[in-house]
């Protein structure tokens, strides 16, 4: 690890030296890393690469013990393991007009797609959503590759107050969109998919189920897409949002919530890295975009 | 001295102790019991056991050396044929190979010589000896191996001995393939696997973990940088029954369950960070070695009731007899002639039970086994908070998806020549589970040996 920067409360950007990964990575792909020999294998999306210096940029949100441990590392520390790029790349080509929706830490995963689609010659409209102003990450980076950038916050502290789905609807009413992407908390992706479906726009989402190997070996990351079983690590992580069985997906994210809460609490008690009094455990990786209510 | 009818017994942990720990079940012979067992061998001149061994170990020879108390010599004989003897001595299906054709075992009342246990004795002794690192010159060329399971390791060892610079690329963070992530500690301690891998590295083999071929590096790069390549990526893509409720929390593939436990040390959670669901009642679906391993692991994770659901009867059980007996001793229950039809939801998205039907055996099918048929109206429920499907694997697609030129057969496995391991792409060889489908450690090793020989010929011919 060569650099670490705190982007917002509990959100960090790190750069890792991994020449082979930097050289191969395409938008939509991810890595799996372990911080220690006792650690979990955690998947994180590749946000940026610098093939010249052989480095890869990741952005993550601290939600449990493993991400807290990662956040506690410093430049020049070594990661135990780092493997990638994994998963299928996004289908980057010239579609015409594209709408890209990112929520919370999902903006990190969206950014390489924004950049890729712009470079492929698309008209790019980007919607970024978060709870509050400081959680709207990568705003300037996204703006640089977007024809239009719309920001939505839950509290109205940046851009417009409201949900990303409202911004989507405005765009759909206004102009023809050829294809859309939504990456963020599962609930946000689910509703973004519904919104796109209402206007007949194909929409890709990036699923982040619990993974282990990331090479199609364990089957733990299975999701139901168009009524058939897919492994997100090798068939995905991107799928058509309208074909995903969301109830099942959201349910499966909770598989280990009890064990994870226990281990995070024990970790915090031991090292107290954030000096926190009270803990809040998210069950949905990367919340922070204002989940619409059904 | 009169030969005893039975194999010299090997001490084991008592069932009611071992089902609470992940330590090895069978404790191994000491030298004295080894010599006793070795003296049961008839030293047949034509040694049918050798022919029945996929890597053709000089069995009577090494047994004779044990009898003469020359373990060093016994080890030298074995290691001429096998690079992983401590592993084979533990997990090979000897009862269907060398021990099945043992002359002693053919005569009335006698059990065959415990060849596997003797192999383990010698190999374990060798692992205690210091590794001498031989300085080799790699003058013959460079070979890349994809996958560090028994097949890749064996090919690597043999090629290094022949004078090749060998690099193994492994996708996971630890080498060993199924030996590391699949077969549990209580049957094959990871310390043993690690030590045998160390021996292969000592031959001059480099293992690069965390490299997914097809993603991190491509086959084209390998073709450019190496003289030949051996693909040994294993089977390892879990099949699912596809019955309703498969997505419920608590429904696992055996691969996920065993990987969490073995590779990620889930049984040592929270010392290690990766959790495995602890359950009071566990149902395991299947009847092979993998099902046994999953069931016995579940018991060790603290389950009070573990039921193996198998659609045929005990006679057809594909698992090794020894493992089946071990499982019964440990209190694993069996529901024979039973097939699951749905997983039941407890109302919160978690598994509550497995809805099953009873089966009866009808006419023999293509495999020659009598085909199970459903008995109408026989539905019943087996309560379970975790269910583990151990119903087999398909081919691993990570590499294949990025290498469409490579010919595959109708099951999706690599179409490689059985006699030579050659594929349709010159310079690319393949073997092990990715060619045969899920098989055994020793067959995967046999393919590795063959591949090493053929690769040597291929590279030598190319240079000439
Ligand atoms: C393909 C993919 C890309 C991802 N990209 C990013 C990213 O760019 N930035 C980011 O902040 N997060 C990303 N995630 C999510 C990230 O991997 C999890 O937040 C992280 O593993 C949580 O670990 P933890 O120990 O800190 O939390 P835990 O306490 O272990 O878990 C908290 C919750 O996180 C989720 N989770 C746990 N383990 C995993 C796992 N192995 N894989 C996925 N989710 C898990 C579960 O919902 C769990 O309940 C991605 C996940 C996937 C699958
Ligand atoms: C639970 C279980 C119990 C078993 N018990 C027994 C037993 O008691 N006795 C017995 O004889 N057999 C047993 N078997 C079967 C035996 O383990 C296999 O037949 C054998 O391991 C196959 O060896 P292999 O080298 O072909 O592949 P594997 O052991 O599967 O190794 C393949 C390796 O390749 C790696 N890989 C895959 N794709 C890539 C890629 N693209 N790039 C880099 N690396 C890659 C994988 O991560 C893996 O490490 C068991 C199997 C299982 C699952
Ligand atoms: S993470 Fe194991 S199959 Fe996808």
């Amino acid at each position: 690890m060569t650099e670490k920067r705190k982007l917002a409360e509990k959100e960090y950007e790190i750069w890792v030296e991994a020449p082979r990964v930097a050289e191969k990575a395409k938008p939509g792909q991810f890595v799996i890393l372990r911080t220690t020999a006792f650690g979990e294998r955690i998947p994180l999306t590749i946000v940026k690469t610098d093939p010249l210096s052989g480095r890869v940029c990741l952005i993550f949100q601290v939600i449990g013990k493993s991400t807290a441990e990662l956040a506690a590392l410093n430049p020049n520390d070594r990661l135990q393991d780092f493997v990638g790029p994994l998963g299928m790349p996004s289908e980057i080509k010239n579609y015409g007009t594209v709408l890209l929706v990112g929520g919370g830490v999902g903006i990190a995963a969206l950014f390489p797609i924004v950049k890729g689609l712009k470079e492929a010659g698309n008209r790019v409209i980007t919607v970024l959503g978060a709870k509050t102003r400081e959680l709207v990450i990568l705003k300037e980076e996204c703006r640089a590759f977007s024809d239009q950038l719309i920001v939505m916050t839950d509290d109205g502290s940046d851009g417009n107050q409201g949900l990303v789905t409202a911004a989507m609807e405005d765009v759909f009413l206004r102009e023809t969109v050829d294809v859309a992407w939504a990456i963020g908390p599962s609930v946000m992706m689910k509703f973004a998919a519904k919104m796109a479906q209402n206007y007949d726009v194909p929409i890709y989402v990036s699923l982040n189920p619990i993974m282990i190997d990331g090479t199609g070996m364990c089957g733990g990351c299975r999701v139901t897409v168009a009524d058939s079983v897919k492994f997100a690590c090798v068939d995905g992580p991107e799928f058509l949002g309208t074909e995903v069985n969301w109830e099942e997906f959201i349910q499966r994210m909770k598989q280990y919530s009890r064990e994870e809460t226990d281990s995070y609490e024990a970790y915090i008690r031991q090292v107290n890295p954030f000096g926190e009094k009270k803990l809040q455990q998210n069950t949905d990786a990367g919340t922070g975009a204002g989940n619409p209510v059904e | 001295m009169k030969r005893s009818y039975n194999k010299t017994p090997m001490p084991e942990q008592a069932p009611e102790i071992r089902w609470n720990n992940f330590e090895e079940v069978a404790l191994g012979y000491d030298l004295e019991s080894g010599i006793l067992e070795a003296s049961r061998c008839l030293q047949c001149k034509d040694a049918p056991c050798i022919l029945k061994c996929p890597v053709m170990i000089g069995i009577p020879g090494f047994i004779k050396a044990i009898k003469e108390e020359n373990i060093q010599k016994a080890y030298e004989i074995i290691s001429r044929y096998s690079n992983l003897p401590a592993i084979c001595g533990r997990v090979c299906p000897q009862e269907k190979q060398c021990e099945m054709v043992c002359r002693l075992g053919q005569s009335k009342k006698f059990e065959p010589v415990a060849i596997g246990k003797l192999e383990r004795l010698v190999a374990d002794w060798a692992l205690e000896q210091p590794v001498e690192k031989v300085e080799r010159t790699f003058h013959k060329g460079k070979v890349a191996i994809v996958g560090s399971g028994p097949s890749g390791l064996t090919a690597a060892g043999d090629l290094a001995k022949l004078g090749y610079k060998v690099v193994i690329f492994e996708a996971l963070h630890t080498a060993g393939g199924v030996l590391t992530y699949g077969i549990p500690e209580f049957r094959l301690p990871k310390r043993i696997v690690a030590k045998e891998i160390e021996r292969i590295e000592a031959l001059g083999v480099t293992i690069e973990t965390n490299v997914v071929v097809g993603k991190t590096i491509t086959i084209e790069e390998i073709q450019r940088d190496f003289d030949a390549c051996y693909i040994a990526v294993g089977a390892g893509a879990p099949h699912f029954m596809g019955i309703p409720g498969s997505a419920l929390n608590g429904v696992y593939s055996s691969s996920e369950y065993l990987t969490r436990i073995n590779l990620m040390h889930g049984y040592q959670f929270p010392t290690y960070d990766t959790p495995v669901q602890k359950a009071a009642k566990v149902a395991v679906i299947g009847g092979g070695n993998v099902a046994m391993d999953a069931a016995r692991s579940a018991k060790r994770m603290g389950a009070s009731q573990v039921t193996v659901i198998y659609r045929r009867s005990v006679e057809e059980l594909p698992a090794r007899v020894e493992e089946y007996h071990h499982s019964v001793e440990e209190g694993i229950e069996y529901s024979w002639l039973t097939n699951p039809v749905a997983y039941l939801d407890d109302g919160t998205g978690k598994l509550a039970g497995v809805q099953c039907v009873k089966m009866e055996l009808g006419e023999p099918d293509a495999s020659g086994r009598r085909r199970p048929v459903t008995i109408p109206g026989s539905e019943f429920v087996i309560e379970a908070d975790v269910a583990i499907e151990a119903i087999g694997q398909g081919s691993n697609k990570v590499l294949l998806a990025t290498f469409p030129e490579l010919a595959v057969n109708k099951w999706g496995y690599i179409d490689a020549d059985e006699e030579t391991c050659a594929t349709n792409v010159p310079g690319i060889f393949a073997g092990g589970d990715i060619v045969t489908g899920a098989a055994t450690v020793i067959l995967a090793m046999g393919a590795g040996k063959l591949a090493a020989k053929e690769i040597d010929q291929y590279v030598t011919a190319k240079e000439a």
Side-chain angles (χ1 to χ4, degrees):
Chain A
M1 181 164 134
T2 60
E3 261 177 70
K4 174 171 97 172
R5 207 153 64 85
K6 187 166 177 174
L7 296 182
E9 185 58 30
K10 294 204 172 182
E11 284 184 20
Y12 293 83
E13 173 184 303
I14 58 172
W15 283 87
V16 178
E17 211 174 281
R20 278 176 176 159
V21 184
E23 185 195 331
K24 295 279 160 38
K26 298 208 177 68
Q29 291 189 297
F30 61 98
V31 295
I32 286 187
L33 60 82
R34 285 198 309 163
T35 46
T36 73
F38 297 97
E40 282 188 274
R41 293 171 62 95
I42 50 178
L44 295 172
T45 308
I46 300 164
V47 182
K48 296 178 225 172
T49 56
D50 182 7
L52 280 181
S53 64
R55 295 185 315 149
V56 177
C57 171
L58 311 171
I59 293 179
F60 63 93
Q61 184 181 30
V62 173
I63 58 162
K65 178 177 177 192
S66 305
T67 40
E69 271 183 340
L70 184 60
L73 292 184
N74 288 307
N76 296 325
D77 284 345
R78 287 183 69 86
L79 294 170
Q80 180 75 27
D81 300 292
F82 195 83
V83 58
L86 300 170
M88 301 298 282
S90 315
E91 213 173 309
I92 301 290
K93 58 181 188 195
N94 194 339
Y95 295 91
T97 301
V98 294
L99 174 63
L100 299 159
V101 184
V105 75
I107 298 172
L110 188 81
F111 170 69
I113 307 172
V114 172
K115 180 164 179 271
L117 287 170
K118 185 68 218 165
E119 286 168 354
N122 291 282
R123 172 172 150 74
V124 177
I125 305 167
T126 305
V127 177
L128 305 181
K131 274 195 189 117
T132 183
R133 179 185 186 86
E134 61 142 0
L135 294 174
V136 187
I137 56 172
L138 299 173
K139 189 161 78 179
E140 293 319 312
E141 282 93 335
C142 286
R143 193 192 304 282
F145 296 97
S146 305
D147 294 275
Q148 192 194 354
L149 182 87
I150 304 164
V151 174
M152 304 293 292
T153 47
D154 290 4
D155 59 4
S157 56
D158 193 0
N160 305 318
Q161 181 170 15
L163 302 173
V164 292
T165 39
M168 289 174 77
E169 186 149 40
D170 287 345
V171 175
F172 290 144
L173 288 171
R174 182 182 79 199
E175 63 185 295
T176 313
V177 173
D178 296 291
V179 60
W181 263 263
I183 306 180
S186 339
V187 186
M188 181 208 100
M189 292 194 283
K190 173 182 159 181
F191 283 96
K194 277 196 176 157
M195 181 60 72
Q197 189 169 28
N198 292 344
Y199 292 88
D200 260 340
V201 178
I203 181 165
Y204 290 101
V205 295
S206 178
L207 299 185
N208 56 343
I210 296 173
M211 292 187 175
I212 307 176
D213 56 300
T215 60
M217 184 265 282
C218 75
C221 66
R222 62 188 192 275
V223 290
T224 306
V225 180
D227 294 323
S228 67
V229 175
K230 299 280 180 198
F231 292 180
C233 67
V234 286
D235 301 319
E238 284 180 16
F239 297 100
L240 281 174
T242 43
E243 294 183 345
V244 172
N245 181 332
W246 290 103
E247 283 65 38
E248 182 188 299
F249 177 72
I250 292 167
Q251 185 59 46
R252 279 184 66 79
M253 292 294 284
K254 297 183 193 143
Q255 280 181 91
Y256 298 98
S257 19
R258 203 191 56 218
E259 289 85 351
E260 277 150 1
T261 313
D262 290 350
S263 94
Y264 189 37
E265 281 175 1
Y267 174 74
I268 296 286
R269 266 197 304 280
Q270 204 187 337
V271 295
N272 197 20
F274 310 105
E276 285 174 67
K277 309 229 165 24
K278 201 163 168 295
L279 287 171
Q280 270 197 336
Q281 172 81 2
N282 288 329
T283 44
D284 192 4
T287 24
N291 300 338
V293 218
E294 216 153 348
Chain B
M1 194 176 64
K2 195 172 166 295
R3 278 189 180 84
S4 79
Y5 289 134
N6 296 327
K7 290 180 177 175
T8 313
M10 185 185 269
E12 287 179 352
Q13 274 198 75
E16 56 283 1
I17 295 177
R18 70 180 191 240
W19 74 43
N20 291 310
N21 68 48
F22 271 84
E23 266 131 62
E24 198 167 14
V25 169
L27 302 172
Y29 281 157
D30 55 14
L31 187 57
E32 205 184 330
S33 351
I35 294 170
L36 191 67
E37 182 61 20
S39 50
R40 293 179 71 233
C41 174
L42 299 172
Q43 291 292 318
C44 313
K45 284 278 156 314
D46 59 345
C49 49
I50 300 186
L51 292 175
K52 212 39 184 167
C53 170
V55 299
M56 305 246 278
I57 293 179
I59 294 168
F62 96 76
I63 293 184
K64 183 154 173 274
I66 300 180
K67 195 174 147 190
E68 291 162 358
E69 291 187 47
N70 191 343
I71 304 287
Q72 170 73 37
K73 184 172 166 204
Y75 178 67
E76 278 159 20
I77 297 173
I78 295 178
S79 57
R80 234 177 275 155
Y81 306 91
S82 170
N83 293 323
L84 307 167
I87 292 167
C88 291
R90 286 173 167 79
V91 302
C92 264
Q94 291 103 5
E95 70 280 6
K96 289 187 189 147
Q97 296 173 165
C98 52
E99 295 181 19
M100 185 170 90
V101 295
C102 173
R103 285 270 150 72
L104 183 66
Q106 315 276 297
S107 46
K108 239 186 164 166
K109 290 203 215 157
F110 282 92
E111 281 183 357
V113 177
I115 302 171
K117 296 189 164 90
L118 289 173
E119 179 182 23
R120 169 176 165 171
L121 167 73
V122 174
D124 283 359
W125 170 85
L127 288 183
E128 297 308 316
Q129 313 308 311
V131 198
E132 5 133 9
K133 197 159 169 98
V134 268
E135 283 311 317
R136 278 168 204 277
T137 52
F138 300 109
H139 53 282
K140 292 182 89 172
K142 275 178 81 184
V143 180
I145 293 182
V146 190
S148 64
S151 202
L153 289 170
T154 300
D158 278 14
L159 284 163
K161 289 180 191 164
L162 286 169
Y164 288 88
K165 177 77 205 130
V166 182
V167 182
I168 303 183
F169 297 109
E170 167 56 50
L172 294 172
H173 57 257
T174 312
V178 173
L179 308 174
T180 297
Y181 74 72
I183 303 181
E185 183 76 14
F186 55 83
R187 277 213 296 135
L188 181 63
K190 300 311 147 213
R191 148 185 70 80
I192 301 284
V193 180
K195 275 191 180 176
E196 291 212 315
I197 292 175
E198 235 172 74
R199 304 251 145 174
I200 289 175
E201 289 180 297
L203 296 169
V205 171
T206 308
I207 304 181
E208 290 194 28
T209 51
N210 291 319
V211 177
V212 184
V213 174
K215 299 274 182 189
T216 315
I217 61 171
T218 62
I219 286 282
E220 290 74 47
E221 287 168 287
I222 287 181
Q223 285 172 315
R224 187 187 68 207
D225 299 341
F226 293 86
D227 298 302
C229 172
Y230 180 53
I231 300 181
V233 293
H239 283 158
F240 287 95
M241 307 264 309
I243 58 178
S246 299
L248 289 175
N249 291 341
V251 180
Y252 282 99
S253 73
S254 56
S255 315
E256 181 186 357
Y257 193 73
L258 291 170
T259 303
R260 281 182 177 273
I261 289 179
N262 296 314
L263 180 71
M264 305 310 296
H265 296 260
Y267 64 99
Q268 290 164 301
F269 180 85
T271 305
Y272 284 79
D273 290 334
T274 307
V276 191
Q277 276 177 34
K278 289 202 177 185
K281 293 185 177 171
V282 177
V284 177
I285 296 133
N289 286 321
V290 185
M292 304 292 110
D293 284 347
R296 298 172 68 197
S297 298
K299 187 84 196 178
R300 284 162 173 77
M301 290 296 297
S304 56
Q305 185 190 320
V306 181
T307 312
V308 174
I309 301 175
Y310 183 54
R311 60 190 185 129
R312 301 177 202 253
S313 63
V314 63
E315 283 84 49
E316 287 86 9
L317 197 73
R320 287 185 67 191
V321 199
E322 183 181 335
E323 305 308 338
Y324 168 65
H325 286 308
H326 278 151
S327 77
V328 173
E329 286 173 4
E330 289 166 12
I332 308 295
E333 290 161 43
Y334 285 79
S335 185
W336 305 111
L337 290 162
T338 303
N339 209 24
V341 289
Y343 295 111
L344 307 175
D345 193 331
D346 75 347
T348 71
K350 288 208 211 77
L351 180 71
V354 187
Q355 170 107 38
C356 300
V357 286
K358 276 291 184 195
M359 313 292 283
E360 58 191 352
L361 292 178
E363 294 302 304
D365 62 13
S367 73
R369 295 180 301 177
R370 293 172 63 198
R371 185 212 302 267
V373 274
T374 307
I375 303 177
S378 62
E379 281 82 6
F380 70 107
V381 172
I382 296 179
E383 270 180 49
D385 34 8
V386 156
I388 305 164
E389 292 195 0
I391 57 161
Q393 279 117 22
S395 70
N396 186 321
K397 296 285 186 309
V398 192
L399 171 69
L400 300 184
T402 61
F403 190 26
E405 305 89 292
L406 194 67
V408 294
N409 61 25
K410 65 175 172 187
W411 298 280
Y413 294 110
I414 298 177
D415 199 0
D417 188 329
E418 253 178 65
E419 310 281 304
T420 65
C421 293
T423 67
N424 64 318
V425 182
I428 306 271
F429 296 77
D433 280 6
I434 190 59
V435 169
T436 55
T440 59
V441 171
I442 193 76
L443 286 173
M445 289 175 60
K449 286 197 93 64
L450 191 63
K453 199 172 116 241
E454 294 294 327
I455 287 173
D456 180 37
Q457 280 180 10
Y458 168 84
V459 178
T460 312
K462 199 170 72 169
E463 313 277 88

